[in-house]
Amino acid sequence: MSTKSPSKLFINIVGIGKVSSSIARQLKGKTKFGHILSRDRAKAEQLAKELDGIPVTYDDDFLLDGIVLFGVNDSVLPYIQQKLERKVNNIIAVHFSGFHSSAIFPEEWSPVSMHPNCSVADEYYSFKDVLFGIEGSEKGLEIAKKIVKLVGGKYVTISTHDKALYHLAAVISSNFPMALAYLSLKIYEDIGIDNENARKIISTLMESVSKNISKYDLKDALTGPVKRKDWKVVEEEGKVFKEFFKEKYGINEDLYQQFVKILRKIVL
Ligand SMILES: NC(=O)c1ccc[n+]([C@@H]2O[C@H](COP(=O)([O-])OP(=O)(O)OC[C@H]3O[C@@H](n4cnc5c(N)ncnc54)[C@H](OP(=O)(O)O)[C@@H]3O)[C@@H](O)[C@H]2O)c1
């Protein structure tokens, strides 16, 4: 592997997206950059200029060595090895997917995945205090820990075998609340609260739940009828749920019962 600088990590980038550009910008001045690879030459040139790297496209002649940050989409990751045939020397391959494990890359790439648990909506995101889930080869993990530290983040280490479960947990916490928000919104709209105010109510409620979870154990963070053991209220609201959602949306009351069951597990 390249030893371009004894003290600074030497980093290449493959695929200029929101996560890879944001990470690279946070690393600027703290690491050295090599090749900045994109399908779009202009994009590669722009980022390479900022980072003092070498812009390349897939058609150019180049050889990647050192650390390579793969910022491509999850659907592209399985094919990127083919795309880079004969353009890779001795690398440590880092990707950011929550879904794929490091095993998506060959062992000889000393692979590691470092998944930021946050929503990266632009190319200038700061990872300060963001918790990364990391897993992979020994060499890769060593590098991932250094990168996380350099961008001001934190990490939890998981096993490669548990990556799919790890991602499921993130989906439950970050996507399922959207489904619940949809259900609340339908009720608010039905009773005449405008969309903007309805979203405001939902986001305020969710924000306070989120704050409570960060401060207290779930048992202490929970509020509402199940926490208060107001079982009559729980039963009556079950009937309301059944009536409202079955009629218009075909959603079964089992959903309500399942959530109550889970909440009881927290309380009891
Ligand atoms: N955004 C988030 O909130 C978030 C959070 C956690 C983890 N992640 C993970 O981070 C990784 C990157 O996500 P992102 O949000 O940064 O994606 P993105 O902004 O959509 O960028 C993905 C990049 O992949 C490259 N690409 C797309 N199609 C390609 C193709 N057919 N062939 C080769 N390259 C292609 C493109 O780079 P070029 O145009 O330069 O070739 C594109 O800019 C994913 O694994 C994702 O799961 C994202």
Side-chain angles (χ1 to χ4, degrees):
M1 191 204 314
S2 172
T3 49
K4 299 282 188 298
S5 159
S7 53
K8 283 187 173 177
L9 298 179
F10 182 73
I11 290 185
N12 303 275
I13 291 166
V14 171
I16 303 177
K18 292 183 283 295
V19 174
S20 59
S21 325
S22 295
I23 293 264
R25 289 190 169 106
Q26 300 299 318
L27 291 174
K28 194 179 162 185
K30 302 170 192 162
T31 63
K32 291 237 176 234
F33 287 94
H35 293 100
I36 311 294
L37 171 60
S38 172
R39 293 165 304 163
D40 178 341
R41 188 173 300 280
K43 230 163 86 172
E45 282 174 354
Q46 195 194 323
L47 189 62
K49 196 173 166 194
E50 260 185 66
L51 303 173
D52 199 16
I54 308 157
V56 279
T57 70
Y58 289 87
D59 297 329
D60 296 335
D61 272 337
F62 60 87
L63 193 61
L64 298 172
D65 72 353
I67 300 159
V68 182
L69 306 186
F70 287 89
V72 297
N73 314 347
D74 287 2
S75 56
V76 180
L77 275 176
Y79 309 105
I80 205 73
Q81 187 187 2
Q82 261 170 271
K83 271 175 95 75
L84 291 174
E85 228 186 350
R86 289 191 288 277
K87 289 182 174 335
V88 169
N89 183 22
N90 186 12
I91 64 168
I92 292 178
V94 181
H95 76 66
F96 306 102
S97 173
F99 176 70
H100 290 299
S101 78
S102 58
I104 198 79
F105 289 153
E107 258 179 59
E108 61 270 25
W109 283 14
S110 302
V112 67
S113 73
M114 48 179 285
H115 169 248
N117 279 287
C118 59
S119 174
V120 183
D122 60 46
E123 286 79 20
Y124 295 85
Y125 195 85
S126 158
F127 295 93
K128 187 160 172 21
D129 294 330
V130 167
L131 240 167
F132 288 74
I134 64 174
E135 61 74 34
S137 67
E138 204 177 313
K139 247 178 167 178
L141 280 172
E142 202 185 303
I143 293 301
K145 287 174 188 173
K146 284 185 183 165
I147 295 175
V148 169
K149 194 171 171 201
L150 286 172
V151 300
K154 296 180 173 128
Y155 63 84
V156 286
T157 310
I158 53 170
S159 83
T160 302
H161 173 265
D162 289 336
K163 187 71 192 263
L165 263 178
Y166 160 86
H167 189 242
L168 173 62
V171 166
I172 290 172
S173 283
S174 64
N175 295 163
F176 285 12
M178 276 294 180
L180 301 179
Y182 171 85
L183 297 184
S184 289
L185 192 69
K186 289 298 149 196
I187 296 178
Y188 287 137
E189 282 179 350
D190 191 77
I191 61 175
I193 298 175
D194 64 90
N195 184 281
E196 196 183 336
N197 275 323
R199 283 188 292 111
K200 178 77 188 148
I201 297 172
I202 294 165
S203 79
T204 306
L205 289 171
M206 286 189 169
E207 214 174 303
S208 54
V209 169
S210 165
K211 278 187 186 146
N212 286 343
I213 290 173
S214 80
K215 265 205 235 158
Y216 309 112
D217 191 32
L218 293 192
K219 196 175 175 164
D220 299 315
L222 180 66
T223 60
V226 174
K227 170 70 175 280
R228 292 189 293 270
K229 298 189 172 67
D230 284 336
W231 303 122
K232 188 74 192 152
V233 177
V234 173
E235 189 188 328
E236 290 301 317
E237 278 191 340
K239 289 180 194 159
V240 178
F241 185 99
K242 182 178 175 182
E243 200 179 316
F244 185 85
F245 287 110
K246 200 173 174 187
E247 285 290 299
K248 292 185 191 145
Y249 303 97
I251 294 169
N252 200 297
E253 66 162 327
D254 282 355
L255 182 67
Y256 181 89
Q257 299 303 348
Q258 289 293 329
F259 275 121
V260 170
K261 198 170 155 186
I262 297 165
L263 294 178
R264 287 176 75 120
K265 278 186 194 296
I266 297 175
V267 175
L268 303 174

